């Protein structure tokens, strides 16, 4: 399974969100959980690292899921 792009610069993967950040001084990828509180996991430099964080912190009982975003895009 590959990350599913739900918006420009945002993906859903293994119950987590990956967001591309463009602010100076911040790592380019921010990873947080698809839960009620959307807890931050970490930030990292590459998409490969972001996917690894998602795998290590997989959320089984997520709040939204990628399909809820894909339906709204159609």
């Amino acid at each position: 399974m590959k990350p599913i792009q739900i918006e420009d610069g945002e993906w859903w993967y293994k119950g987590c969100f990956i967001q591309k950040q463009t602010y100076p001084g911040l790592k380019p990828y921010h990873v947080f959980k698809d839960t009620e509180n959307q807890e931050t996991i970490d930030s990292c430099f590459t998409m490969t690292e972001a996917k690894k964080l998602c795998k290590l912190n997989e959320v089984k009982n997520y709040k939204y899921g990628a399909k809820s975003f894909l339906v709204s895009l159609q």
Side-chain angles (χ1 to χ4, degrees):
M1 178 173 153
K2 294 180 181 181
I4 299 168
Q5 187 165 10
I6 56 174
E7 285 184 21
D8 187 32
E10 188 165 351
W11 299 264
W12 190 92
Y13 185 61
K14 303 253 180 211
C16 300
F17 294 105
I18 302 170
Q19 265 183 350
K20 181 109 170 118
Q21 303 183 115
T22 57
Y23 300 105
L26 294 179
K27 294 177 183 176
Y29 294 95
H30 180 75
V31 181
F32 57 100
K33 295 180 178 184
D34 181 359
T35 60
E36 184 71 35
N37 295 325
Q38 296 188 337
E39 301 94 342
T40 292
I41 296 170
D42 205 351
S43 294
C44 53
F45 289 103
T46 67
M47 179 60 97
T48 300
E49 292 173 322
K51 290 185 334 187
K52 185 174 182 179
L53 286 171
C54 293
K55 287 177 186 176
L56 292 171
N57 296 278
E58 183 173 1
V59 177
K60 300 278 187 185
N61 297 312
Y62 46 83
K63 182 174 180 181
Y64 296 108
K67 289 183 182 179
S68 65
F69 295 95
L70 297 176
V71 169
S72 65
L73 294 174
Q74 296 177 4

